[in-house]
Amino acid sequence: MGRSYSDDLRVRVVGFVEAGHSRRAAARHFGVSESFAVKLLQRVSRWKTARPARQGRPPGSRLDVHEAFVMAQVEAQPDTNGHRG
């Protein structure tokens, strides 16, 4: 997964566009892709922030919601491999 552009660069690109330049001109000026500039300004317009979105999977597991059930099953029958010790 790639790294996000710095907050400083993001602020400068947004400022350049807000000063009256096009998004594509900002991309050329700062050496970033046109796609980045366009999506960055869409993000600022929609979410009012230039900060990058979180990347990767959310923390936790899909099984977290079933934790109580699983723990109850383990406590009811501690030896899950079939041996009755």
Side-chain angles (χ1 to χ4, degrees):
M1 201 173 311
R3 290 184 47 131
S4 299
Y5 284 115
S6 70
D7 290 342
D8 177 58
L9 177 62
R10 292 168 171 274
V11 168
R12 288 187 286 144
V13 170
V14 171
F16 194 80
V17 172
E18 289 176 348
H21 301 278
S22 72
R23 295 170 182 190
R24 288 185 170 85
R28 284 190 303 273
H29 182 80
F30 291 103
V32 296
S33 70
E34 292 179 359
S35 173
F36 167 74
V38 169
K39 290 177 182 178
L40 173 63
L41 272 293
Q42 287 174 344
R43 179 170 182 76
V44 169
S45 174
R46 183 173 185 178
W47 300 107
K48 311 298 184 230
T49 182
R51 300 285 320 246
R54 281 187 50 87
Q55 294 183 357
R57 292 185 183 191
S61 166
R62 286 187 266 174
L63 296 178
D64 285 349
V65 296
H66 305 290
E67 180 179 10
F69 172 77
V70 171
M71 293 306 292
Q73 296 300 309
V74 170
E75 290 170 3
Q77 186 175 348
D79 192 352
T80 58
N81 63 7
H83 298 298
R84 294 275 182 201

